[in-house]
Every structure is written in C-alpha cells, then in structure tokens.
Amino acid sequence: MAENAKPKRLGFWFTFLPPFAWMTVLYFVPLVALLTYAFQRHEYVRIIHEFTWENFQQIATNPGYRNTLWRTLWIANLVTLIDTLLALPVAWFLAFHAGRFKRTLMILVLLPLWSSYLVRVFAWRIILGYNGVLNGFLVHTGILREPSTLFLYNKFSMVLTLCYIWLPFMVLPLTTAFERLPTRLLEASADLGARPFTTFRRVTIPLVLPGLLAGGLSVFSLTMGDYITPSLIGGAGDILVGNLVASQFGVAANWPLGSAFAAVVLVVIFCVMALLSRKGVLENL
Amino acid sequence: MKKLVTLFTVLVFLFMHLPIIVIIIFSFSEGQILALPIKGWTLDWYRQALQDDRLRTGLMNSLKVATAATVLASILGTLGAVAIQRYRFFGRQAFRASVVFPILLPGIITGVAMLTFFANANLPLGLLTVIIGHATFGFPVVFNTMAARLARLPRSLEEAAADLGATPTQAFRRVLLPSIRSALIAGALLAFTLSFDEIIVTIFLTGNQNTLPMEIWARLRFGMTPEINATVTMVLVLSGLLVVTGQWLSRE
C-alpha cells in the first residue's frame, strides 16, 4: 500500500492543481478585485484608493438607480415564473410521451443555442415591429385594421424576448429531472387513490424540485445580467441593472460605481443560491 | 390531458423556433428592409455575406477563439472532474460548488471582473483575453458533464488496470479515456457553441479584433441587414452539421 500512496498523491495534485490555479487566479482574484473597486472613489478620470461607501449610498439614494434595481428584480422573477410554467408541460412531454421523436425534439431544444443570440433577440424586432410579421398577420386576417406600435419597445416585448431566449435553460434540467422520476411512485400514488392533480402536487413536484430550482436559478441569473435584450428590444425607460454596469464600464467610465452595481447583483444571486443550496440545487446544474 | 400537454408542447416549440424561421425566410427575401410584405426571392445576400471581408475575418476569429477556449476548457474540465470524483480532499465540496460560478453568475460579472483584472495586470485586451474569458466559463460546462459520467463509472476498472501493471498515464489513456470519450465530446461541443456565440463577456474583453458576434453587434446599431441573416443561417447549418457529427461520434 505504501508504494501506492505516492503516485496517488501525485495524481491528485496533477488533476487538482491546474483547474484550481486557473479558477483562483483568473476568476476569483478578478472577482475580489471587482469588489474592492466597489469601495473606492471615482474622481474625474482617476480612481482614489481609499475605502468609501459612497457608491452604495449613491445607488440607494438615486431614485433612477433604485427603480432600475427593483425593475430588474421584478422582471427576473416574472421571466423565471413564466419560463417555469412554459417548461413544466414540455419537460413532462419530453420525458414521458415523446417516444421515438425524443432525440430529435431534444436537439430542437438545443438548436436555438447554436444560432446567434444577438440575431435571435433582433428577430423579435422583425416579428413585433410596425411592419413586422405579427402586425402583417393581424392586419391580413382582419383582427386589426392597421398595424399597432404596442408590441415593441416596451416591457411586454422585453419580457417576451427574455422568456424566449432563456427557455432552453429551464427545459433541459427539468427534462432530466422528469427522466429520473421513478414512475412507480406515481403509480403507487394513483393506486392509493390520489387524483392526478394531487399526485402532481404532492409527489411529482417535490421530486423534480431540485431540477426545477436549478433551471430557475439559471434563468433568474441570466436575466439579472442581461443588458443586450433591454437595449435592443426594451423601451427607453426599461433598462435593467446590467445596462447600468455596462455603461459605467463603458461610456461613463466610472468603474467604482459599475463595480458597486455588480456587487449588488452578486449579493442578490448569492442570497438566492444560499436559499436554494439546501435543496440540493447546486448538484443539478 | 395528454392531448392538451401535446398541443401545449407544440405551441412552445413553435415559440422557440419562430425567430429562427423568420431569420431564415428573410435571408432569401429580395428587399433590403426586413419587413413584410416580401416582394421576391434571391440568393444575393449569401453571395454578399461570403464576399464580405469583415464578416469572414470575424468568423475566422470566432473559430480561433472557440477552438482554443474549448481545448483549454476540456483539459481543465477533465482534470477537475477526475480530481473531484477520484480523490477525497479537504475543501472538495467547496471546490465543486465554486467551479460552477462562471456559468451560475451572469456573464456581465465575469466580463467586468476580468476587465478590471487584466487592466491591473497590464495585459492588453485582444483575442487572448477573450480566449481566457471563454475558457473560464467553458471549464464548468465540460466539468459538469464529465463529473456526471465519472460518477457512474466503477473505479474497479482503473484499479484493475493498476493491478495489472499499467502506469497512471496508460490507465488513463487506455481505460478511462475510452469510457469518458462521449461525455468529453458532448461537453466540448457545448463549450464550443457557447464560446462561438458569446457576446456579453466578449464585449468587455476584446481589443480591436472582432469576433463574429461582435461584428454583428457593431452592425446591428445601424439596423439588421439581410447579409447578417444569410451569415447566421449559414452558421446555423454548419453548427447543426457539427452537432450531428458530434452526436454520431459520441454514440454508445
């Protein structure tokens, strides 16, 4: 056994060290660097290296910033909820009723991820715009007398596009969760006289909950950080916190304030993760 | 009930693919403006897209970045998964939880964190920094599929190889690798496609060399043009072929 221990230890360091070093130096050190910026001051074009709460005070007191944060939280929750409701029946169907079409349908779920995210977001402009596909259809069928401008550049179009763009991230883990569901438990529940809805609520949902929450966490987090969709599809006043981060690191060039926004996003997501980690969500990602 | 679920699923699939269908249709439409009604059909946009130098350069840069990032992510992800599944060590759970951060936290956080880091380290922004960024979120993608596969693989195989006198390298190459190959291909493929299309991290890390999504982003400010539709359609067909090949290679 003794001669075995040495190569074993060597094998451990060989496999552990490269990913550990990469993640530490290139991910966690930058994250910490970002967080330290959040507590520094920006004056003209320089960054003053002294501890301050100024950036967070500014976020808390500026109504525009505060509203954007609330709007982001609200929209991220709404998008997560809608995607859950859309994905539940789909995942159920894929896991139990897809039959020989299953492989093809699973590829179709992934297909949107292989084509440009930007262009798929932009496609909704072509669909929802004044001369768009939807207006064309509605006018042609006589439902509308003339094209409507109500479909694009508002919260509705933004939520619709966000739901669309992140839906696969909900369908995939949920389908896996349904596949792992022991069907004999569902049969047992039915045998014991539970109605289908009761079985669904008391047996199915608790068993697929880790997958559901894992998908929900992805959708929530992706929405919290998106700034492309709001700027392409949303209205002028519908920016999300991601736009604030992007502009502070871009044109406004106020890195400390941008870092403070990023820190707020981080704290929100860590809180959600802490709530979910007890349910075994992190192993299901 | 089953009929209802089937109908609902069909509608959701329609929703998931409507934008792509629209893009493909408009890539053949004659008009310069992407709006109804469609006046006629043409292949001109494909000819223009193929002759467009900037789109071609962007495509080449994207291929370079995605290839390099995928190779790095595959190495890191495989090593990390073996470390997690084959060794017990202090901080194992913490390591496992923290490697998924890059795909759990929004891309914009990764982007600005690396931007501040590279600025402080005086590393000029360019394709190299983009590769580092993409490899970092590709790593957990490969890691997740590999860790799941390794967890299902009996350790006795490797122990048998060692008992029969194989060196660790031999055991890895001849015993472990064949059984994890399909998971590695699946993970690498996903990392590649995510990198190829990435924009949120890339915006912060790129210098003056554009990847294809960056080139498209630069043009989108002036509105979408049919060449972009044609480019995206061609990329979609190519990645479709790539994925089908990958599925075929990773069949069990």
Side-chain angles (χ1 to χ4, degrees):
Chain A
M1 283 312 283
E3 64 226 52
N4 238 344
K6 205 173 170 193
K8 202 171 167 190
R9 209 162 358 143
L10 205 68
F12 167 68
W13 288 113
F14 177 74
T15 53
F16 174 74
L17 213 51
F20 177 73
W22 181 285
M23 282 300 287
T24 307
V25 175
L26 294 168
Y27 192 73
F28 286 105
V29 168
L31 266 189
V32 171
L34 181 75
L35 291 178
T36 57
Y37 268 99
F39 296 99
Q40 292 174 0
R41 184 177 301 136
H42 175 87
E43 263 170 30
Y44 304 110
V45 288
R46 288 191 309 131
I47 290 163
I48 313 291
H49 295 281
E50 56 181 22
F51 184 87
T52 173
W53 286 99
E54 220 169 70
N55 302 308
F56 293 99
Q57 280 162 359
Q58 203 181 334
I59 294 172
T61 50
N62 182 323
Y65 293 159
R66 233 173 29 213
N67 288 342
T68 304
L69 277 173
W70 284 121
R71 180 166 50 240
T72 308
L73 273 176
W74 183 78
I75 284 187
N77 276 303
L78 182 66
V79 169
T80 310
L81 178 72
I82 295 175
D83 271 351
T84 310
L85 295 178
L86 290 179
L88 266 173
V90 173
W92 175 271
F93 180 85
L94 286 173
F96 297 124
H97 301 301
R100 67 198 162 92
F101 298 113
K102 186 168 169 189
R103 211 176 156 81
T104 317
L105 289 176
M106 287 309 284
I107 292 182
L108 279 179
V109 174
L110 280 170
L111 185 80
L113 300 180
W114 309 331
S115 56
S116 169
Y117 153 86
L118 272 178
V119 173
R120 283 185 297 133
V121 171
F122 202 90
W124 284 101
R125 271 206 204 177
I126 307 176
I127 297 170
L128 301 172
Y130 185 78
N131 290 316
V133 176
L134 181 63
N135 270 319
F137 174 76
L138 291 177
V139 170
H140 184 77
T141 52
I143 297 171
L144 284 184
R145 200 160 301 165
E146 54 192 55
S148 165
T149 52
L150 287 176
F151 303 131
L152 191 57
Y153 304 128
N154 50 36
K155 286 197 188 63
F156 161 76
S157 56
M158 183 162 77
V159 170
L160 178 83
T161 308
L162 287 167
C163 287
Y164 157 77
I165 213 97
W166 307 130
L167 186 57
F169 294 91
M170 180 64 102
V171 173
L172 292 173
L174 207 50
T175 308
T176 316
F178 273 124
E179 281 167 351
R180 289 187 197 148
L181 190 71
T183 41
R184 60 200 155 78
L185 289 185
L186 307 184
E187 286 155 18
S189 172
D191 288 346
L192 291 169
R195 280 170 304 151
F197 184 70
T198 313
T199 305
F200 183 74
R201 198 169 55 87
R202 305 273 303 265
V203 182
T204 313
I205 287 293
L207 284 170
V208 297
L209 199 62
L212 190 114
L213 294 176
L217 182 58
S218 297
V219 173
F220 181 83
S221 168
L222 287 163
T223 309
M224 283 289 291
D226 197 350
Y227 58 95
I228 304 266
T229 306
S231 59
L232 280 179
I233 302 289
D238 295 330
I239 56 164
L240 299 181
V241 68
N243 298 81
L244 293 177
V245 178
S247 70
Q248 296 305 327
F249 276 90
V251 281
N254 183 347
W255 286 17
L257 185 58
S259 305
F261 283 123
V264 173
V265 173
L266 269 179
V267 168
V268 170
I269 292 172
F270 278 139
C271 287
V272 177
M273 271 166 75
L275 282 174
L276 299 185
S277 65
R278 299 180 190 177
K279 311 217 181 242
V281 172
L282 300 181
E283 284 77 37
N284 280 277
L285 282 166
Chain B
M1 188 63 197
K2 195 186 151 190
K3 267 188 194 148
L4 214 64
V5 172
T6 311
L7 179 71
F8 189 85
T9 306
V10 170
L11 288 177
V12 171
F13 267 86
L14 207 64
F15 172 61
M16 279 164 86
H17 293 93
L18 180 68
I20 295 174
I21 296 167
V22 167
I23 291 162
I24 295 177
I25 290 175
F26 275 102
S27 75
F28 296 106
S29 157
E30 218 170 62
Q32 173 76 42
I33 298 161
L34 302 173
L36 292 176
I38 289 174
K39 295 185 186 78
W41 305 99
T42 178
L43 282 171
D44 267 9
W45 305 120
Y46 284 84
R47 194 172 47 76
Q48 286 194 22
L50 288 170
Q51 284 169 351
D52 192 312
D53 279 341
R54 291 173 64 93
L55 284 177
R56 210 160 43 202
T57 316
L59 179 70
M60 289 319 285
N61 283 338
S62 277
L63 285 174
K64 270 186 231 167
V65 167
T67 308
T70 304
V71 170
L72 283 167
S74 301
I75 296 170
L76 293 168
T78 309
L79 291 177
V82 172
I84 279 286
Q85 296 295 357
R86 289 297 179 262
Y87 302 100
R88 298 283 168 275
F89 55 93
F90 177 74
R92 181 170 167 270
Q93 284 306 324
F95 180 66
R96 199 200 164 108
S98 60
V99 293
V100 294
F101 274 28
I103 44 173
L104 207 60
L105 299 181
I108 189 168
I109 304 269
T110 313
V112 294
M114 286 192 165
L115 172 64
T116 55
F117 176 73
F118 291 142
N120 281 309
N122 281 323
L123 197 64
L125 297 180
L127 290 187
L128 179 68
T129 48
V130 177
I131 290 171
I132 294 174
H134 288 194
T136 304
F137 67 73
F139 160 48
V141 170
V142 177
F143 173 87
N144 271 352
T145 45
M146 292 296 276
R149 169 65 56 90
L150 282 169
R152 284 192 282 129
L153 214 65
R155 295 194 60 164
S156 48
L157 284 177
E158 295 147 69
E159 282 163 3
D163 286 347
L164 292 169
T167 64
T169 327
Q170 281 176 325
F172 176 79
R173 205 166 51 83
R174 307 269 303 263
V175 179
L176 200 55
L177 198 58
S179 24
I180 56 178
R181 202 190 55 168
S182 59
L184 183 58
I185 292 174
L189 213 57
L190 193 54
F192 188 92
T193 47
L194 288 179
S195 160
F196 191 74
D197 185 38
E198 218 291 329
I199 179 88
I200 290 182
V201 176
T202 316
I203 284 184
F204 295 103
L205 300 184
T206 192
N208 46 21
Q209 284 170 295
N210 273 354
T211 60
L212 185 60
M214 286 293 294
E215 182 60 36
I216 293 176
W217 176 237
R219 291 177 187 213
L220 278 186
R221 287 179 205 173
F222 310 104
M224 180 101 154
T225 58
E227 303 97 88
I228 298 182
N229 281 346
T231 312
V232 171
T233 307
M234 287 188 281
V235 168
L236 181 68
V237 171
L238 283 178
S239 22
L241 285 175
L242 187 75
V243 171
V244 171
T245 318
Q247 292 248 337
W248 182 72
L249 281 174
S250 66
R251 74 200 185 283
E252 284 172 66

